[in-house]
Amino acid sequence: MNSPEIEHLIHLLSRLPGLGPRSARRAALTLLKKKEALLEPLAKAMSDAAAAIRTCPNCGNLDTQSPCAICTDGRRDAGLMCVVADVADLWALERSGAYRGLYHVLGGTLSALDGIGPDDLNLPGLIERVSNSGVREVILALGATVAGQATAHYLAERLERPDLQISGLAHGVPVGGELDYLDDGTLSAALSARRPV
Amino acid sequence: MNSPEIEHLIHLLSRLPGLGPRSARRAALTLLKKKEALLEPLAKAMSDAAAAIRTCPNCGNLDTQSPCAICTDGRRDAGLMCVVADVADLWALERSGAYRGLYHVLGGTLSALDGIGPDDLNLPGLIERVSNSGVREVILALGATVAGQATAHYLAERLERPDLQISGLAHGVPVGGELDYLDDGTLSAALSARRPV
């Protein structure tokens, strides 16, 4: 019933994560009603981003410069490399502000169910970077899921070298978390990894 | 931490209804990862829509043609005029497929709390259309809220004319609804408007 332009816009918006067909319709209507304030700036921001953003050939991060700002930042510790599954994880770690080393984005985790094997991930780049540059520690910051942990085990075997430390994120009670609501697995992991106060 | 282009895109996306700062970040990342398949088409769809869409001077609908496709559709019953608060309501009624008359979009409902008075709504257009064209029935399809019902009462008074029928949507049990979950107001409205089966 709507004009093809509107229906096409709704269809594309509904492909964004977090927007279904109904909320895409609502978003499209908001955009059309706020043409000067929102629709036109957003269209411009999208074409600007599409033109400017590239994938860093080193680490797989998304940035306007290539290599990305993290890879070219001399103040970062080039001896630390944090392996993440996705750019979203890299962003999450950067938001925490707790890490000042380099990253490597795998582009996924090993998953036999989804047919994702070692060849589908950015593994050759990781192995080359770890062997050719002065990396002394690889931090496997992969999710505490079956796929994440399988990938971590695989990487730990592939990267094993006497002078290279390989570590993973700690499991335990989330900050602000109540013991009562925690699952048994997290609780026993937190208990076995207990530390002196 | 991200490049200004990405942060600007996230900021604009977070102003869409249904997307908060976190889901806007996720949407932006999906867009950037699917550059050819999603980001570029969406940017183009948005500029196309921004260039093509205009508000119908008759009814207030959004369309690429002006007057809109509904106003210019000769197969529609020009004696029926459905008054809605918003273009979203017009779209919802069109989706139902149950209505084949014309529309009039008020652009909101009267609300003393939000400072929206009769002058802020598209009332002069409605009064002119109702008096100058052969409208025999005005259907006030306004929400069953305090603001919607206050607006309906105000409009019924303003439009009153011996030869004009003014009606409102029926209240009752939603199709597929369980009596058990209905509020008392709806249930008593459905009971008092009961019909022979």
Side-chain angles (χ1 to χ4, degrees), chain B residues 48 74 96 165 195:
Chain B
D48 288 355
S96 80
Q165 195 183 335
R195 319 191 315 173

Side-chain angles (χ1 to χ4, degrees), chain B residues 81-155:
Chain B
M81 182 167 299
C82 183
V83 178
V84 292
D86 198 277
V87 180
D89 304 330
L90 188 159
W91 287 7
L93 281 164
E94 280 298 288
R95 274 203 302 281
S96 80
Y99 180 68
R100 299 299 298 166
L102 302 181
Y103 289 95
H104 190 86
V105 180
L106 282 180
T109 45
L110 296 176
S111 167
L113 273 177
D114 301 329
I116 300 175
D119 300 338
D120 301 307
L121 304 180
N122 184 11
L123 271 183
L126 174 63
I127 290 164
E128 198 202 312
R129 288 179 79 193
V130 170
S131 32
N132 292 356
S133 55
V135 176
R136 62 178 191 280
E137 180 175 355
V138 169
I139 304 168
L140 300 171
L142 299 161
T145 58
V146 173
Q149 293 308 299
T151 312
H153 277 290
Y154 177 84
L155 289 178

Side-chain angles (χ1 to χ4, degrees), chain A residues 165-179:
Chain A
Q165 195 182 334
I166 299 176
S167 54
L169 294 183
H171 294 306
V173 184
V175 175
E178 299 250 30
L179 292 195

Side-chain angles (χ1 to χ4, degrees), chain A residues 1-3 5-6 12 16-17 25 29-30 33 35 41-43 46 50 53 63-64 86 88 91 94-95, chain B residues 1-3 5-6 12 17 25 29-31 33 35 41-43 46 50 53 63-64 86 88 91 94-95:
Chain A
M1 44 132 280
N2 276 320
S3 70
E5 282 88 350
I6 300 181
L12 287 173
L16 289 178
R25 198 167 285 278
L29 194 60
T30 304
K33 284 202 274 189
K35 199 159 88 171
L42 190 53
M46 284 188 178
I53 300 296
D63 203 349
T64 42
D86 198 277
W91 287 6
E94 279 299 288
R95 275 203 301 283
Chain B
M1 44 130 283
N2 277 320
S3 70
E5 281 88 351
I6 300 180
L12 287 173
R25 197 167 286 278
L29 194 60
T30 303
L31 284 169
K33 283 202 275 191
K35 201 160 85 169
L42 190 53
M46 283 187 178
I53 299 297
D63 203 348
T64 42
D86 198 277
W91 287 7
E94 280 298 288
R95 274 203 302 281

Side-chain angles (χ1 to χ4, degrees), chain A residues 109-154:
Chain A
T109 45
L110 296 176
S111 167
L113 272 177
D114 300 328
I116 300 176
D119 300 338
D120 302 307
L121 304 180
N122 183 11
L123 272 184
L126 174 63
I127 290 164
E128 197 202 314
R129 288 179 80 195
V130 170
S131 32
N132 293 355
S133 54
V135 175
R136 60 177 193 282
E137 180 175 354
V138 170
I139 304 169
L140 301 172
L142 299 163
T145 58
V146 173
Q149 294 308 299
T151 312
H153 277 291
Y154 177 85

Side-chain angles (χ1 to χ4, degrees), chain A:
Chain A
M1 44 132 280
N2 276 320
S3 70
E5 282 88 350
I6 300 181
E7 288 299 331
H8 184 55
L9 180 62
I10 293 171
H11 170 71
L12 287 173
L13 282 173
S14 71
R15 289 176 53 195
L16 289 178
L19 287 183
R22 195 172 279 259
S23 45
R25 198 167 285 278
R26 203 153 67 95
L29 194 60
T30 304
L31 283 169
L32 293 172
K33 284 202 274 189
K34 298 183 182 166
K35 199 159 88 171
E36 279 83 25
L38 193 52
L39 178 55
E40 286 166 358
L42 190 53
K44 192 174 174 306
M46 284 188 178
S47 9
D48 289 354
I53 300 296
R54 31 200 110 288
T55 304
C56 175
N58 280 348
C59 69
N61 188 15
L62 293 165
D63 203 349
T64 42
Q65 44 178 295
S66 172
C68 74
I70 293 176
C71 284
T72 51
D73 187 347
R75 291 164 304 173
R76 284 183 171 257
D77 185 350
L80 275 176
M81 182 168 297
C82 183
V83 179
V84 291
D86 198 277
V87 179
D89 304 330
L90 188 160
W91 287 6
L93 282 163
E94 279 299 288
R95 275 203 301 283
S96 79
Y99 180 68
R100 300 297 299 165
L102 301 181
Y103 289 95
H104 191 86
V105 180
L106 282 181
T109 45
L110 296 176
S111 167
L113 272 177
D114 300 328
I116 300 176
D119 300 338
D120 302 307
L121 304 180
N122 183 11
L123 272 184
L126 174 63
I127 290 164
E128 197 202 314
R129 288 179 80 195
V130 170
S131 32
N132 293 355
S133 54
V135 175
R136 60 177 193 282
E137 180 175 354
V138 170
I139 304 169
L140 301 172
L142 299 163
T145 58
V146 173
Q149 294 308 299
T151 312
H153 277 291
Y154 177 85
L155 288 179
E157 267 181 29
R158 285 290 298 271
L159 296 173
E160 205 177 3
R161 220 174 56 196
D163 58 334
L164 183 71
Q165 195 182 334
I166 299 176
S167 54
L169 294 183
H171 294 306
V173 184
V175 175
E178 299 250 30
L179 292 195
D180 205 16
Y181 293 101
L182 272 185
D183 62 295
D184 299 348
T186 307
L187 212 47
S188 57
L191 196 62
S192 67
R194 65 188 178 278
R195 320 190 316 171
V197 185

